[in-house]
Amino acid sequence: MVENIKILIADDSDLMRLLMKRFFTRWLGSPVIVEMDNLPSTIELLRQEKFSFLLLDINMPTGDSSPDTVREILNIQPDIKICMFSGNNKAALEQSYLEAGAIGFIEKDENMSAAMEQVIKEAFS
C-alpha cells in the first residue's frame, strides 16, 4: 500500500463520491479523501491544499470541466494526477483530456471498478 496519499473527489453526485471513496480505500488502504460537489470550490481548494490525485467529474451544475480546466489545475499543482470521471462518451472525449494532461478517463457506465483499479495502479506504482 502507498502511504500519505491525499485524494480529492470532485463530483456532484453523493452516490458516485461514496462509491469512488470505497474504491480508493480498497486499493490504497487509508488515503485522506476530500470531497467537493462543484468545480469553482474544487479549483479554490486546489489553490489552498496540495493533493496527490484528483478524480474530476466533467459535468457539474456549477461549471463543466474541459481540457482547459485540466491545464489550469496542472498550472496550480503540476504534480497532481488527474483522472476524468464522466457519463459522457469516453471515445469522443478521452483523447483531448489526455492531451491536456489527465492520466485517465473513466466512463460512469463502464466497469468502473476495473477502470479505477487500473488508474490507481498507474498513478501510484
Side-chain angles (χ1 to χ4, degrees), residues 8-49:
L8 178 57
I9 300 172
D11 192 300
D12 58 311
S13 166
D14 292 337
L15 179 60
M16 284 296 140
R17 289 194 314 269
L18 177 63
L19 182 60
M20 293 299 109
K21 277 176 70 169
R22 289 182 186 219
F23 288 147
F24 282 115
T25 302
R26 178 187 311 158
W27 290 301
L28 296 173
S30 300
V32 173
I33 300 175
V34 177
E35 301 175 45
M36 299 302 290
D37 63 3
N38 67 75
L39 185 58
S41 296
T42 298
I43 299 292
E44 185 57 35
L45 182 60
L46 288 165
R47 293 185 192 283
Q48 298 170 14
E49 292 184 42

Side-chain angles (χ1 to χ4, degrees), residues 55-73:
L55 184 66
L56 182 60
D57 188 11
I58 291 179
N59 301 113
M60 292 189 272
T62 56
D64 292 342
S65 302
S66 69
D68 285 336
T69 307
V70 172
R71 290 182 194 94
E72 177 184 0
I73 292 167

